[in-house]
Amino acid sequence: MSTGDLAFTWWGHASVTVEISGVRVALDPLFTDRLAHLKRYAASPAEHAWDADVVVVSHLHADHLHRGSLKRFGTDVPFVIPKGGESLLARHHPERVRGVVPGDVLDVAGVRITVLPATHEGRRGPQSKAVGPALGFRVDAGGRSFWFPGDTELREDMADVGRVDLALVPIGGWGPTLEDGHMDPVDGARAVGLVGATTVVPVHWGTFWPVGMQSLKRANHELLFRSPGRRFVEAMEGAEAQVLLAEHGERVEL
């Protein structure tokens, strides 16, 4: 990929690899097909999903900071995670972990990462002592840029992010309801309007769902698993940004 180019591969859920100015940035890698009661109902990530120059994690929940996926990255790949979650990677990656908070700006692996606030639960879970801020990120390199807000509610300060080439916007969850701390397709479209983007890709939908729940709660499955992409396109109608509904595992050049 030539300097200044931009490409992405959506692996499902919030997991995306963005290639920006020759640097591969892996976002919230969750490459397993099963996580507790959740099952992947999409293509499994390919082996090259673990090819990255830096890994960026938005918050400490197991479907975003997934230790089984993280331990398979190369031993020289740095990790940028919420400050307070370092103990979760103590067995595998302690010397490579950079804990960050909103407002931090760091240069790593050839990209500049601006750390943004997010509105989402920051605890790992009820049985864990690990807690850190939920984060979003703006990443710049070679005159190109992308925005990954992580799991968050709509925030007024998204207007301060600055226009980007690519926005990766979460528009759903894994069901059977969409809890606080998330955006639905309409909120996602509003967020894009605040930030400004040339190309928009909706993520965090259509990948994982509780086993057997699609038949028990059909309306919720349709609303939160099957239809978010279509509803996001509808919510973005009339916007200047180009909306792309990516296929799982498909590499798209911009």
Side-chain angles (χ1 to χ4, degrees):
M1 186 175 67
S2 61
T3 299
D5 283 353
L6 190 62
F8 72 88
T9 306
W10 180 46
W11 303 111
H13 202 51
S15 305
V16 185
T17 298
V18 180
E19 302 165 53
I20 179 170
S21 193
V23 180
R24 298 162 299 180
V25 182
L27 304 168
D28 286 3
L30 176 64
F31 296 153
T32 184
D33 288 336
R34 189 71 181 263
L35 180 65
H37 64 301
L38 303 180
K39 179 181 177 180
R40 181 185 292 269
Y41 292 93
S44 302
E47 282 295 318
H48 63 271
W50 281 272
D51 294 339
D53 299 296
V54 59
V55 174
V56 177
V57 174
S58 66
H59 62 286
L60 304 184
H61 291 171
D63 59 325
H64 292 261
L65 192 157
H66 184 250
R67 288 184 286 191
S69 297
L70 292 177
K71 71 180 182 180
R72 289 188 56 185
F73 283 90
T75 57
D76 59 341
V77 177
F79 292 80
V80 178
I81 72 170
K83 188 174 180 61
E86 294 89 342
S87 63
L88 297 172
L89 300 179
R91 292 186 178 181
H92 305 293
H93 314 292
E95 73 286 353
R96 295 150 53 196
V97 175
R98 175 78 176 269
V100 295
V101 298
D104 285 348
V105 179
L106 59 155
D107 295 310
V108 56
V111 298
R112 170 157 290 190
I113 300 175
T114 302
V115 185
L116 307 168
T119 303
H120 193 75
E121 170 59 53
R123 291 186 176 276
R124 174 69 168 182
Q127 306 302 320
S128 176
K129 295 181 179 179
V131 59
L135 306 174
F137 304 93
R138 177 189 170 112
V139 178
D140 292 84
R144 306 304 296 272
S145 57
F146 72 86
W147 172 56
F148 176 63
D151 282 7
T152 185
E153 297 176 10
L154 185 66
R155 297 174 56 98
E156 291 184 1
D157 60 3
M158 289 175 176
D160 300 327
V161 172
R163 186 177 180 84
V164 293
D165 295 307
L166 171 65
L168 302 162
V169 184
I171 61 166
W174 46 255
T177 61
L178 189 63
E179 298 178 347
D180 292 344
H182 299 88
M183 294 189 290
D184 63 14
V186 173
D187 284 340
R190 290 172 178 164
V192 174
L194 290 172
V195 175
T198 303
T199 303
V200 185
V201 178
V203 300
H204 207 270
W205 71 283
T207 308
F208 286 93
W209 196 256
V211 174
M213 194 66 71
Q214 66 267 38
S215 59
L216 296 177
K217 292 185 178 291
R218 294 181 183 275
N220 284 3
H221 183 257
E222 174 65 26
L223 181 68
L224 298 177
F225 185 89
R226 294 176 58 88
S227 72
R230 171 182 55 79
R231 292 189 290 121
F232 180 72
V233 172
E234 293 172 353
M236 287 290 296
E237 186 174 353
E240 294 182 1
Q242 177 190 23
V243 181
L244 297 178
L245 294 183
E247 297 289 338
H248 293 83
E250 175 190 13
R251 182 180 182 271
V252 180
E253 294 187 14
L254 302 176

